[in-house]
Amino acid sequence: MGNKREMQNKKDQQLESFRVEDEGKKLTTNQGLKVSEDEFSLKAGERGPTLMEDFHFREKMTHFDHERIPERIVHARGFAAHGEFQVYDSMKEFTKAKFLQDPSVKTPVFVRFSTVAGSKGSAETVRDARGFATKFYTEEGNYDLVGNNIPVFFIQDAIKFPDLVHALKPEPHNEIPQAQSAHDTFWDFIANNQESAHMVMWAMSDRSIPRSFRMMEGFGVHTFRFANEEGKAHFVKFHWKPVLGIHSLVWDEAQKIAGKDPDFHRRDLWESIENGDYPEYELGVQLISEEDEFNFDFDVLDPTKIWPEEEVPVKIIGKMTLNRNVDNVFAETEQVAFHPGHVVPGIDFTNDPLLQGRLFSYTDTQLIRLGGPNFHELPINRPVCPFHNNQRDGYGRQTINKGQVSYHKNSLAANTPQPASEEEGGYAHYQEKVEGRKVRKRSESFKDHFSQAKLFWNSMSEVEKNHIIEAFSFELGKVQSKSVQQQVVEMFAHVTSDLAKPVAEAIGANLPQSKGSSVKKSSPALSQENTIKKPDTRKVGVIIDNGFNGDEVKQVLKELQSKGIQAEFISDKLGIKKCAGGSEIEIDHTFLTGESVLFDALYVVGGKEVDPSFKDDAVYFIKEAYAHFKPIGATHVGIKWLEEQEIVEKEGVVTGADMNIFSQNLTGAVMEHRHWNR
Ligand code: HDE
């Protein structure tokens, strides 16, 4: 696995000047003084007290004592990568944003994925929304698209965000549970803030347990504004569409992975990039002209509503490729500071009250998290274009501004730095007409909380609906308060009794009365059943022992690998296993270190004289993979084991003696991802 770094872009070149290689160098203090001893502090005598004058000890310890900074209040657990973005065709008609004009321009990007609720060290496969934040280092300044993998949000007004997050986070009296929404305060909040209904449907769906960061969508959530050279504006919603399609784990698997490999998602991203399997996402936009603002059955400013793709098509406008891992997680992933207010000319805001509040919160949070107002100078946050203004000083200032003038207007520096006109690239806010009384109110047009929750439900396949019922039953099953349980069931009865009734039964609540929303519409694009299905980068665990048929295994692996599928070998012990003909395979995982939940599929080869404990372990893997609806391929003794478990001739279970047909069938089964009809 070689790091395939090329010095491909401006941001990379800029970062290069900050990179330091310590390997092979002499140890020094931060002042550059060479250190002669790093194991023993300076003492008065071999058995005596440590001396204050040991400046090396004090410097080393002080730095260590201050190594931690406050974690993000939300989205603390995250992982990031570098890449680039290219637009397919000029978007001139809709926006003057420079990075969306020229298909030959590659804009450097940095993307951070995250969970929302958990602390920095929490497991990654928990049920939660995922952050999907992209920083575009454009020649007009940084543009941040700070989105999630769910296109709507829990609340309609930013003033409620602290309440939502307090309810979601571990309960304050005992700090339980970590990184879970399955507890009383979260569901109490939901039942008493019913604008959350639509987002909760998504959160209880498979979307909130993604298979990989590489296999989930991203959404800007809010309605933004595009403006072109002529000043004509459109409302716009942003989408990231993963080239590999949208795929999820199953709940039992997600929970097990949380223990077996809490770093499952970052490991997947890291390894894919190291392997050269660069994650790709297409950027899509939905556009509504200003004239059509009121022509829909939802308010375009309401962040709890989607614009169904069938009504407002997603125009695919470009592609992002993530092609380089970070060098240092703290310096890059932790110190990156996103902000929905980092925009470039041609991209503007709307009056979405959630967005308006976010425009305040993000700088505010960086001030405490990154320790002052100079966080824009950190290497990862610096724009690739020059920046000049009269801001000075503050903690950690790095720029050495020359000259005596730091104010505007002035004559001593010929009145520079000078504001730029619009023609010169100066940002001019869209001149939206605004009028109104000062009120603390919500628009009537924001008050329908259940129609789109029902639209979401209608759009799900039967399997997806069952997963939603199970997720509600799990989460509410963990809630202690009978009153909260009942309130939630009553609330979701306003969506559909098809959901509320089975959940009520599962948790022993009273059956609710409401018949639910009358909405019949559905949006097929919302179902993962209709997503892109590809075998690429899927991981197959090959269960193998001495005496396997070397030619057959080689043939099967060749076919799988030609389709982009990766194979890793699992056996009772690490080391080498030999086939009947003498060729060898090195084992990657034992039954102890590898788990069926860490693979997309199994290929059960076995060996010549497999001992009973090997068989027991193999069967455990097989049964678990089967229960998680995963593809299983088996040959020879493997077929016998499947027969004993009565799992042959089932969907996604591939056996056979002709290796050509077997390989093709196994590839097809892997491509399907999961086989629900068993
Ligand atoms: Fe955030 N959010 N948020 N958020 N958000 C933060 O900023 C906030 C919201 C999102 O990888 C914080 O730097 C408010 C929606 C992502 O670094 C904070 C509201 C969406 C990330 C903050 C929202 C997001 C954050 C915490 C309600 C999807 C992680 C640390 C109005 C469109 C970015 C930080 C990263 C992070 C505030 C709602 C996405 C506290 C007040 C809606 C992906 O400033």
Side-chain angles (χ1 to χ4, degrees):
M1 271 200 246
N3 194 340
K4 298 199 170 61
R5 174 188 301 155
E6 304 158 44
M7 286 297 296
Q8 82 277 38
N9 68 44
K10 251 189 165 172
K11 185 65 195 172
D12 239 15
Q13 284 164 25
Q14 187 193 52
L15 287 176
E16 185 57 26
S17 62
F18 293 94
R19 288 192 190 110
V20 174
E21 193 72 72
D22 293 322
E23 202 177 313
K25 306 287 170 14
K26 290 282 184 225
L27 185 75
T28 72
T29 66
N30 287 333
Q31 306 307 315
L33 177 72
K34 287 198 186 100
V35 171
S36 60
E37 170 55 61
D38 193 34
E39 266 192 285
F40 310 115
S41 49
L42 188 69
K43 300 183 199 73
E46 278 174 18
R47 301 178 66 246
T50 303
L51 298 177
M52 275 293 279
E53 78 176 64
D54 188 351
F55 53 82
H56 169 53
F57 165 79
R58 278 188 286 115
E59 185 197 79
K60 182 176 176 182
M61 193 56 79
T62 303
H63 197 277
F64 169 76
D65 290 344
H66 295 256
E67 272 176 11
R68 288 293 168 272
I69 63 171
E71 64 176 39
R72 290 164 171 80
I73 168 70
V74 283
H75 298 267
R77 176 73 165 167
F79 202 66
H82 294 271
E84 59 196 29
F85 172 81
Q86 260 177 303
V87 72
Y88 289 143
D89 292 304
S90 172
M91 288 297 289
K92 192 171 189 303
E93 184 186 347
F94 302 104
T95 174
K96 62 180 176 185
K98 267 222 171 114
F99 78 106
L100 297 177
Q101 306 300 316
D102 182 352
S104 72
V105 170
K106 289 183 182 174
T107 302
V109 297
F110 188 65
V111 179
R112 185 174 181 274
F113 302 104
S114 48
T115 56
V116 180
S119 292
K120 198 168 169 296
S122 56
E124 285 180 334
T125 56
V126 295
R127 179 176 295 284
D128 199 353
R130 298 296 184 287
F132 189 139
T134 307
K135 194 179 280 295
F136 298 81
Y137 301 95
T138 89
E139 53 182 290
E140 296 179 295
N142 290 348
Y143 167 55
D144 292 355
L145 181 52
V146 196
N148 278 347
N149 76 329
I150 292 180
V152 288
F153 203 60
F154 288 109
I155 48 173
Q156 293 172 318
D157 191 313
I159 199 170
K160 293 173 72 70
F161 192 62
D163 302 296
L164 165 71
V165 175
H166 285 175
L168 170 63
K169 284 268 177 182
E171 298 188 5
H173 61 303
N174 57 8
E175 226 182 36
I176 298 175
Q178 179 57 242
Q180 315 268 324
S181 50
H183 60 110
D184 285 53
T185 55
F186 175 73
W187 287 99
D188 187 33
F189 178 89
I190 297 307
N192 289 284
N193 297 273
Q194 303 207 345
E195 66 210 71
S196 61
H198 188 193
M199 169 98 174
V200 171
M201 296 295 290
W202 285 78
M204 293 304 113
S205 81
D206 296 343
R207 297 278 182 149
S208 57
I209 40 172
R211 157 66 180 83
S212 160
F213 292 141
R214 302 175 294 125
M215 300 171 198
M216 60 185 206
E217 288 184 298
F219 302 93
V221 175
H222 310 284
T223 298
F224 291 89
R225 216 181 228 112
F226 264 172
N228 67 13
E229 277 306 341
E230 289 77 48
K232 178 156 174 51
H234 279 82
F235 294 109
V236 58
K237 275 200 191 285
F238 293 102
H239 296 243
W240 288 116
K241 302 254 182 203
V243 167
L244 293 176
I246 314 155
H247 302 279
S248 292
L249 302 168
V250 295
W251 181 227
D252 180 63
E253 180 191 21
Q255 288 177 285
K256 285 177 175 162
I257 297 175
K260 303 283 184 190
D261 185 4
D263 308 305
F264 185 72
H265 281 148
R266 62 182 55 199
R267 192 186 306 284
D268 170 274
L269 190 73
W270 175 272
E271 288 182 353
S272 301
I273 293 175
E274 291 297 298
N275 288 339
D277 293 322
Y278 299 143
E280 294 175 322
Y281 308 82
E282 289 194 301
L283 181 65
V285 291
Q286 285 178 296
L287 296 160
I288 292 181
S289 67
E290 299 257 312
E291 300 79 58
D292 286 336
E293 179 171 1
F294 300 107
N295 291 344
F296 294 90
D297 60 5
F298 47 81
D299 190 325
V300 297
L301 300 184
D302 179 352
T304 66
K305 302 295 183 295
I306 57 165
W307 303 352
E309 291 186 27
E310 294 74 11
E311 280 174 64
V312 187
V314 177
K315 182 180 166 64
I316 298 297
I317 67 166
K319 192 197 266 181
M320 174 167 77
T321 307
L322 301 182
N323 54 15
R324 188 166 74 72
N325 278 314
V326 297
D327 288 293
N328 184 284
V329 172
F330 181 83
E332 299 174 78
T333 312
E334 193 60 17
Q335 294 201 116
V336 66
F338 292 97
H339 189 340
H342 292 164
V343 288
V344 289
I347 302 180
D348 210 317
F349 314 115
T350 63
N351 297 330
D352 169 350
L354 197 67
L355 172 60
Q356 294 280 319
R358 288 181 78 199
L359 296 178
F360 162 75
S361 179
Y362 286 69
T363 309
D364 190 40
T365 211
Q366 311 310 349
L367 289 175
I368 180 82
R369 201 170 70 75
L370 298 170
N374 289 318
F375 55 84
H376 62 283
E377 294 189 333
L378 293 167
I380 195 66
N381 294 326
R382 282 176 182 261
V384 293
C385 58
F387 51 103
H388 302 280
N389 53 49
N390 292 314
Q391 295 168 28
R392 292 292 184 274
D393 310 345
Y395 283 109
R397 185 71 173 179
Q398 292 169 44
T399 307
I400 302 172
N401 297 96
K402 295 201 283 187
Q404 80 191 114
V405 173
S406 55
Y407 52 88
H408 180 79
K409 298 168 172 181
N410 66 64
S411 67
L412 291 178
N415 204 21
T416 58
Q418 211 170 42
S421 68
E422 231 182 304
E423 291 68 39
E424 293 168 317
Y427 187 89
H429 291 264
Y430 179 69
Q431 295 191 6
E432 182 182 6
K433 186 156 183 260
V434 183
E435 220 171 351
R437 293 182 182 280
K438 288 184 199 166
V439 288
R440 288 190 183 274
K441 274 195 175 164
R442 184 168 309 175
S443 166
E444 280 300 314
S445 57
F446 276 41
K447 289 192 176 156
D448 167 14
H449 304 322
F450 298 112
S451 296
Q452 285 210 350
K454 179 72 183 316
L455 171 92
F456 183 76
W457 175 261
N458 293 344
S459 312
M460 296 290 103
S461 67
E462 282 312 304
V463 171
E464 289 170 312
K465 283 180 180 167
N466 282 335
H467 289 172
I468 294 172
I469 293 169
E470 284 166 12
F472 269 96
S473 306
F474 175 91
E475 297 259 323
L476 292 173
K478 296 273 183 183
V479 167
Q480 303 295 308
S481 162
K482 294 242 175 302
S483 152
V484 169
Q485 288 176 327
Q486 192 63 43
Q487 290 175 57
V488 175
V489 167
E490 302 289 344
M491 170 176 170
F492 285 90
H494 293 302
V495 180
T496 169
S497 55
D498 292 346
L499 167 63
K501 275 215 173 114
V503 172
E505 279 162 8
I507 63 169
N510 298 326
L511 293 188
Q513 295 309 310
S514 172
K515 292 249 173 318
S517 153
S518 60
V519 168
K520 297 266 183 307
K521 235 185 350 186
S522 72
S523 168
L526 300 183
S527 170
Q528 292 181 228
E529 286 293 296
N530 303 326
T531 191
I532 299 163
K533 291 177 180 163
K534 289 181 166 195
D536 306 60
T537 76
R538 293 296 177 158
K539 226 189 220 183
V540 176
V542 185
I543 298 181
I544 200 158
D545 200 7
N546 285 322
F548 58 91
N549 184 324
D551 289 342
E552 279 189 11
V553 171
K554 228 192 253 165
Q555 192 186 343
V556 174
L557 293 184
K558 200 169 151 207
E559 166 71 14
L560 296 184
Q561 277 154 4
S562 76
K563 295 290 177 335
I565 298 172
Q566 295 157 5
E568 290 180 9
F569 298 100
I570 308 162
S571 196
D572 53 347
K573 296 186 189 72
L574 291 179
I576 301 290
K577 296 283 173 186
K578 287 195 168 128
C579 81
S583 72
E584 299 181 338
I585 273 174
E586 178 155 11
I587 300 303
D588 301 298
H589 311 275
T590 64
F591 291 122
L592 212 56
T593 62
E595 290 290 332
S596 91
V597 291
L598 305 179
F599 296 95
D600 292 299
L602 294 181
Y603 165 27
V604 190
V605 181
K608 192 100 204 239
E609 278 158 20
V610 175
D611 72 51
S613 78
F614 186 108
K615 180 186 158 187
D616 286 351
D617 286 334
V619 167
Y620 183 85
F621 267 58
I622 293 167
K623 281 165 76 174
E624 195 172 53
Y626 185 77
H628 294 151
F629 311 95
K630 292 180 181 174
I632 302 173
T635 52
H636 305 288
V637 67
I639 301 179
K640 217 171 89 200
W641 296 341
L642 293 188
E643 281 167 353
E644 284 169 18
Q645 301 305 314
E646 298 182 1
I647 51 179
V648 275
E649 288 171 27
K650 304 276 185 186
E651 202 190 87
V653 178
V654 180
T655 56
D658 178 328
M659 286 305 114
N660 244 336
I661 299 175
F662 173 79
S663 316
Q664 279 163 25
N665 288 348
L666 184 56
T667 304
V670 171
M671 187 166 92
E672 276 302 308
H673 179 58
R674 296 296 156 106
H675 300 269
W676 305 115
N677 301 315
R678 286 184 168 169

